[in-house]
């Protein structure tokens, strides 16, 4: 009987926001504006930090890579959501769904590791300022960024293959806004406990460990800042670190809840909201958080704007 119920899957159906059909057009407009804002804001960060020689420091090198990662992250999910909302065709092929799951997991791992590298950079800059340029040399920065991008690939590929090689049965409708590993697992026949164990292990290795390293770095940073004799120095140090901490809180807060909570406790509505949080809200807020709280960035932006204005007047 179990064998008869196994379904040969060629495609899945992403239900997304189909439960609110009257708002499809409105949602399309909202997500289109959000996506364009994410692309514009993060691209602006890349251009500005690359154009000004004064911003050729390790901190801005990591920030450029982080902004590029955010563009990639949203480009994996939002365009597909926009297509579904516009065409009302919510079908996605088996391979496209597997590729989306793989990319989401891999980019999530890269974001965790890159945020940890950025925290380490701030730790060295504040706690060991005399050795900063020696420790955070260009070679080390490139290695940290390359590691963040590459290190999770084999694990994520293995995880994705393991989940999608399991038998599916019954419905192929995913009550989610994009292909994600837990909604996929709800369609799998039989015991998925081994897959869940591997997912939890990956979350601990690539999520919890970087998060604890970030927390440890900032505990030492805060103690060092409190020892600074100058109130101006304290204010500048706190301002530099607070933007990074806000991004860490937004990203890790929502993603850890999704991936560490038991599968039985997952509700479609809550998962949709939390997924939107770490795939859409965080990339949208990052440019504002980093630019509005960074005086060097604002000064460079004003310089570029004044140059553009002078060019147009000529």
């Amino acid at each position: 009987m179990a064998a008869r119920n196994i379904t040969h899957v060629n495609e899945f159906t992403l239900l997304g926001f189909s439960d609110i059909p009257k708002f499809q057009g409105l949602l399309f407009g909202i997500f289109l504006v959000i996506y364009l804002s994410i692309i514009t804001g993060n691209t602006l960060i890349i251009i500005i930090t690359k154009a000004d020689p004064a911003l050729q420091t390790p901190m801005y090198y990591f920030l450029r890579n982080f902004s590029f990662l955010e563009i990639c992250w949203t480009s994996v999910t939002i365009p597909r959501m926009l297509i579904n909302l516009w065409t009302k065709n919510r079908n996605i092929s088996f391979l496209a769904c597997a590729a989306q799951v793989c990319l989401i997991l891999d980019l999530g791992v890269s974001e965790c590791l890159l945020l940890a590298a950025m925290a380490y950079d701030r730790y060295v800059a504040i706690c060991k300022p005399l050795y900063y340029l020696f420790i955070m040399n260009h070679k080390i920065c490139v290695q940290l960024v390359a590691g963040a991008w590459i290190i999770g690939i084999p694990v994520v590929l293995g995880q994705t293959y393991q989940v999608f090689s399991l038998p599916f049965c019954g419905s192929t409708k995913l009550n989610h806004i994009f292909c994600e590993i837990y909604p996929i697992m709800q369609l799998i026949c039989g015991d998925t406990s081994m897959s869940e164990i591997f997912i939890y292990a990956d979350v601990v290795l690539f999520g919890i460990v970087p998060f604890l390293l970030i927390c440890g770095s900032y505990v030492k940073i805060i103690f060092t800042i409190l020892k600074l004799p100058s109130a101006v120095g304290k204010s500048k140090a706190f301002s530099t670190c607070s933007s990074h901490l806000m991004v860490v809180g937004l990203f890790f807060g929502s993603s850890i809840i999704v991936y560490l909570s038991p599968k039985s406790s997952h509700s479609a509505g809550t998962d949709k909201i939390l997924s939107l949080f770490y795939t859409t809200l965080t990339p949208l807020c990052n440019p504002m958080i980093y630019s509005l709280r960074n005086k060097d960035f604002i000064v460079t932006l004003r310089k570029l704007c004044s140059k553009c204005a002078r060019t147009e007047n000529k």
Side-chain angles (χ1 to χ4, degrees), residues 7 94 161-168 185 188-189 191-192 195:
T7 305
F94 183 87
Y161 176 78
Q162 182 196 32
V163 169
F164 279 86
S165 62
L166 294 172
F168 291 87
M185 288 176 64
I188 293 172
C189 296
D191 185 18
T192 60
S195 295

Side-chain angles (χ1 to χ4, degrees), residues 28 82-90:
F28 176 84
L82 292 173
I83 292 170
N84 293 349
L85 289 167
W86 182 257
T87 64
K88 309 294 192 300
N89 180 10
R90 298 181 175 86

Side-chain angles (χ1 to χ4, degrees), residues 26-143:
L26 176 62
L27 288 170
F28 176 84
I30 291 171
F31 283 116
L32 179 61
V33 170
I34 288 173
Y35 182 58
L36 293 176
S37 300
I38 291 170
I39 298 297
T40 303
N42 284 287
T43 302
L44 196 61
I45 286 179
I46 294 171
I47 292 171
I48 290 173
T49 56
K50 190 69 176 176
D52 191 347
L55 301 183
Q56 305 307 305
T57 63
M59 182 177 78
Y60 292 105
Y61 175 74
F62 288 122
L63 183 55
R64 279 197 298 276
N65 278 275
F66 188 71
S67 294
F68 178 67
L69 176 62
E70 296 294 61
I71 292 171
C72 296
W73 178 272
T74 52
S75 296
V76 171
T77 55
I78 297 183
R80 185 78 207 189
M81 290 166 55
L82 292 173
I83 292 170
N84 293 349
L85 289 167
W86 182 257
T87 64
K88 309 294 192 300
N89 180 10
R90 298 181 175 86
N91 293 336
I92 181 171
S93 70
F94 183 87
L95 288 177
C97 188
Q100 192 175 53
V101 168
C102 187
L103 287 170
I104 288 170
L105 291 174
D106 185 52
L107 292 170
V109 169
S110 297
E111 185 146 350
C112 292
L113 297 177
L114 196 52
L115 285 170
M118 293 168 77
Y120 177 68
D121 172 69
R122 292 299 82 209
Y123 162 74
V124 177
I126 293 172
C127 299
K128 300 182 179 181
L130 297 178
Y131 301 98
Y132 179 64
L133 293 177
F134 175 74
I135 296 174
M136 299 304 296
N137 57 67
H138 182 67
K139 182 180 178 181
I140 293 295
C141 292
V142 171
Q143 288 174 346

Side-chain angles (χ1 to χ4, degrees), residues 16-311:
F17 301 102
S18 59
D19 54 335
I20 44 174
K22 294 181 180 179
F23 295 97
Q24 300 295 291
L26 176 62
L27 288 170
F28 176 84
I30 291 171
F31 283 116
L32 179 61
V33 170
I34 288 173
Y35 182 58
L36 293 176
S37 300
I38 291 170
I39 298 297
T40 303
N42 284 287
T43 302
L44 196 61
I45 286 179
I46 294 171
I47 292 171
I48 290 173
T49 56
K50 190 69 176 176
D52 191 347
L55 301 183
Q56 305 307 305
T57 63
M59 182 177 78
Y60 292 105
Y61 175 74
F62 288 122
L63 183 55
R64 279 197 298 276
N65 278 275
F66 188 71
S67 294
F68 178 67
L69 176 62
E70 296 294 61
I71 292 171
C72 296
W73 178 272
T74 52
S75 296
V76 171
T77 55
I78 297 183
R80 185 78 207 189
M81 290 166 55
L82 292 173
I83 292 170
N84 293 349
L85 289 167
W86 182 257
T87 64
K88 309 294 192 300
N89 180 10
R90 298 181 175 86
N91 293 336
I92 181 171
S93 70
F94 183 87
L95 288 177
C97 188
Q100 192 175 53
V101 168
C102 187
L103 287 170
I104 288 170
L105 291 174
D106 185 52
L107 292 170
V109 169
S110 297
E111 185 146 350
C112 292
L113 297 177
L114 196 52
L115 285 170
M118 293 168 77
Y120 177 68
D121 172 69
R122 292 299 82 209
Y123 162 74
V124 177
I126 293 172
C127 299
K128 300 182 179 181
L130 297 178
Y131 301 98
Y132 179 64
L133 293 177
F134 175 74
I135 296 174
M136 299 304 296
N137 57 67
H138 182 67
K139 182 180 178 181
I140 293 295
C141 292
V142 171
Q143 288 174 346
L144 287 172
V145 169
W149 280 98
I150 295 170
I151 199 169
I153 291 176
V155 176
V156 167
L157 284 172
Q159 183 74 69
T160 305
Y161 176 78
Q162 182 196 32
V163 169
F164 279 86
S165 62
L166 294 172
F168 291 87
C169 56
S171 174
T172 57
K173 293 180 179 179
L174 291 172
N175 192 8
H176 206 57
I177 49 179
F178 50 81
C179 286
E180 200 165 22
I181 199 158
Y182 275 124
I184 291 292
M185 288 176 64
Q186 289 172 1
L187 304 180
I188 293 172
C189 296
D191 185 18
T192 60
S193 57
M194 188 59 66
S195 295
E196 287 188 69
I197 290 171
F198 282 125
I199 291 170
Y200 292 146
D202 292 345
V203 171
V204 169
L205 181 62
F206 296 116
I208 300 298
V209 170
F211 180 69
L212 292 176
L213 290 173
I214 292 169
C215 291
S217 297
Y218 274 100
V219 167
K220 293 183 178 181
I221 286 170
I222 290 169
F223 278 118
T224 303
I225 291 173
L226 292 174
K227 294 177 183 178
L228 294 175
S230 169
V232 176
K234 288 181 182 180
S235 176
K236 186 177 180 180
F238 272 121
S239 178
T240 303
C241 297
S242 59
S243 57
H244 182 246
L245 275 175
M246 290 170 69
V247 173
V248 168
L250 282 171
F251 176 74
F252 278 97
S254 54
S255 56
I256 285 176
I257 291 171
V258 169
Y259 284 97
L260 274 187
S261 58
K263 191 177 75 168
S264 57
S265 69
H266 285 234
S267 68
T270 304
D271 279 359
K272 287 179 186 179
I273 293 170
L274 289 171
S275 297
L276 283 175
F277 218 93
Y278 65 78
T279 59
T280 304
L281 184 62
T282 305
L284 178 65
C285 293
N286 286 349
M288 293 183 284
I289 291 171
Y290 280 112
S291 59
L292 295 178
R293 299 182 63 85
N294 192 304
K295 292 180 180 178
D296 295 335
F297 187 90
I298 292 172
V299 168
T300 303
L301 180 61
R302 285 174 179 170
K303 286 179 182 177
L304 289 176
C305 289
S306 61
K307 283 183 181 179
C308 292
R310 285 197 298 269
T311 304

